[in-house]
Amino acid sequence: MSRLFAPTLREVPAEAEVISHQYLLRAGYIRKTAAGIYSYLPLGWRVLRKIEQVVREEMDRAGGQEVLLPALQPAEIWQESGRWDVYGKELFRLKDRHERDFCLGPTHEEIITDLVRREISSYRDLPKRLYQIQTKARDEIRPRLGLIRCREFIMKDLYSFDRDQAGLEESYQAMYRAYERIFRRLGLRFKVVEADTGAIGGKDSHEFMVLADTGEGVIVYCEACDYAANVERAAAGEVASDFQEPAEEMQAVPTPGRHSVEEVTAYLGVTAKRLVKTLIYRAVYRDREEPVAVLVRGDRDVNETKLKNALDALFVELADAGLVERVTGAPVGFAGPVGLRGVRILADLEVPRVVNAVVGGNKADLHLVNVNYGRDYQAEAVLDLRNAAAGDPCPRCGAPLKLTRGIEVGHIFKLGTKYSEALGATYLGEDGQEHYIVMGSYGIGIPRTMAAAVEQNHDADGIIWPFPIAPYHVIIVPVNYDVPEQQDLAESLYRELTAAGVETIIDDRDERAGVKFKDADLMGFPLRITVGPRALKEGKVELRRRADGSVLLLERAEVVARVKSEIAAGYPEVEDENTGADVGVR
RNA sequence: CGGGGCGUGGCGCAGUUUGGUAGCGCACAUGGUUUGGGACCAUGGGGUCGUAGGUUCGAAUCCUAUCGCCCCGACCA
């Protein structure tokens, strides 16, 4: 430890907001090089390698073969798939000395599909599952939260190549199971959720979310059945309407200066449910753009992913004040569906059920009350456009849904033939016909997984590593290293544990005990052996568990056996679904 | 990109309003006293105040430009 390059910090660097970032910096695991770009110091790199190793074992077990693809990629292949334009500013682009375009790989569908289309020609060559663990580069709009959103990060990405949909199904299930095993083996609490497919493309997709309050992802789940989805994707059904009264006559009401939902409801003395919000969006397509009016209940939020998908647009964004005025003829805050012309109107499922609604009057300082769907206004389509909320009925079983947060550490996609068609990756089938290879893609963010583990496992003193990813299982702390008796005992224990295959580190620094204890806690080693005068009086040593602070007084002779049993107990059991045998422990 | 905040020894900050020769705590070095939960005393080293330009007798401080970092939104492992 006196030689270890792990500079610890007493104070929290000002730039670090979230716990994982703070502790990984303070405990000397990482250092920042630039925004979203990190160096991994020895302890951090040990943790990453442990995570990688579990991932590697499970990928191999699930039929994966490890390769290494180039990080530096020629533009041509990206132009061929069409993503050179579509991927946008997130792609790190550069030129070589001959002015030829290149990019740094943010993901490898293009490269691997190019490789496979050249080498695979027969159904006999399929299926194939190829993966790599490699550094990716993405020029993120906003890197943040330390390792959770980086511009450069290590990713495991596997690509499956199958003959048909049934084959893809099999690959997908194999990966699904492998991912569950990985995160279980790493000792993390996680949920698998249905997800939107985003820029990678494809049909079905699941995200593996490590549960943590600091997570960027909002998860909707049901305790009654096992439905779980991220909020972008989660179906928000119709909630039974509690509006029973008869429709009344529509009226205009002046609402001077009241433009937010809060202001209008407070001014008119109605609940937010009674309001129908009209939001003007700008929908951008490949060749054009148009404004769209979206109606949701006042207490709901528009789900832009659902909106984008419903419109089949490249992206949608809230219109600026100028566009709102051009579309509605009124300043922001007074848009309404009644009499709105020249713009598509989409309504969320709940909107038609709002009886005697309050809506904007399309005129400054004016709202309309007692507005009713069908009679006073109409939408071009009524569909699910809002975020699911806590208490909504589960789309599968109807029980009330719950919300939680998580960090997306893994994501699996059924790509189908999107890339094989774009790049012409075909094989000759048994039937003598050419077919497109059916693909899937499966990613795990390795540093993000490390950060997620810290988010989930820490206390006020520092990190509490789960055994499977701790950089060392045991730290030996001689209280007074300059006392020969302690030094000798500590060193002999170190040699013995190391010889027994236990990953051990010894704090041989000339520091006071308090400093060593603080650093050991901060760094998060799951077990600490304290060699000091107190226990030594009885000829014993202390074994302390980081997780709960409990201490065992041990005879010197029983230390190794006890440490080994503690470690064994710290590795989650993961059943082998074929043999039922426990596998993967150490 | 829009909105907010911040750049002063390795880390955390004060000083900027009202220009006047750069300071505190931690860390680091040396000596001494200490020694089971971030010790104490003494001494010491280290900063072109993000960068460039300007105003001024004089700029960390005022002006202009620029770069970087953090937070909130659209993206994603």
Side-chain angles (χ1 to χ4, degrees), chain A residues 100-112:
Chain A
R100 286 188 288 242
D101 287 314
F102 283 81
C103 66
L104 295 175
T107 170
H108 281 68
E109 281 85 3
E110 278 78 1
I111 294 290
I112 192 114

Side-chain angles (χ1 to χ4, degrees), chain A residues 2 22-23 27 60 98 125 157 167 177 219 250 297 335 396 408 457 474 526 529 539:
Chain A
S2 56
Q22 293 179 359
Y23 279 155
D60 291 346
H98 305 294
D125 301 327
D157 45 329
R177 285 196 305 274
I219 305 168
M250 183 169 80
R297 233 168 60 180
R396 213 173 275 165
E408 182 194 349
N457 301 283
V474 184
I529 293 175

Side-chain angles (χ1 to χ4, degrees), chain A residues 181-222:
Chain A
R181 291 175 53 87
I182 287 167
F183 295 114
R184 216 173 281 152
R185 281 184 60 185
L186 295 178
L188 302 174
R189 298 194 313 280
F190 64 99
K191 264 189 187 301
V192 189
V193 305
E194 293 179 10
D196 188 70
T197 50
I200 309 275
K203 294 194 277 293
D204 279 336
S205 151
H206 286 88
E207 289 175 349
F208 288 72
M209 312 282 288
V210 168
L211 301 177
D213 294 336
T214 36
E216 294 182 282
V218 177
I219 305 168
V220 178
Y221 68 101
C222 174

Side-chain angles (χ1 to χ4, degrees), chain A residues 252-256 333-334 359-368:
Chain A
V253 180
T255 49
F334 299 96
V359 304
N362 293 330
K363 203 171 164 189
D365 300 334
L366 190 76
H367 276 79
L368 304 176

Side-chain angles (χ1 to χ4, degrees), chain A residues 319-366:
Chain A
D320 58 26
L323 181 57
V324 171
E325 281 206 54
R326 279 201 300 285
V327 171
T328 67
V332 174
F334 299 96
V338 180
L340 193 59
R341 298 272 177 272
V343 50
R344 298 174 69 180
I345 301 176
L346 301 180
D348 178 67
L349 291 172
E350 290 178 330
V351 166
R353 292 172 163 268
V354 182
V355 175
N356 295 331
V358 175
V359 304
N362 293 330
K363 203 171 164 189
D365 300 334
L366 190 76

Side-chain angles (χ1 to χ4, degrees), chain A residues 291-313:
Chain A
V292 177
V294 181
L295 311 181
V296 291
R297 233 168 60 180
D299 58 337
R300 303 300 196 184
D301 294 315
V302 172
N303 180 318
E304 296 188 359
T305 303
K306 290 178 182 175
L307 176 61
K308 185 189 84 170
N309 291 343
L311 292 168
D312 200 20

Side-chain angles (χ1 to χ4, degrees), chain A residues 411-426:
Chain A
H411 201 162
I412 59 179
F413 299 89
K414 289 180 194 168
L415 294 175
T417 54
K418 174 175 167 151
Y419 293 93
S420 45
E421 282 183 40
L423 298 169
T426 59

Side-chain angles (χ1 to χ4, degrees), chain A residues 88-105:
Chain A
K89 299 132 291 169
E90 282 206 11
L91 197 58
F92 270 110
R93 295 158 206 258
L94 60 158
K95 288 184 189 295
D96 70 4
R97 63 168 68 198
H98 305 294
E99 290 291 301
R100 286 188 288 242
D101 287 314
F102 283 81
C103 66
L104 295 175

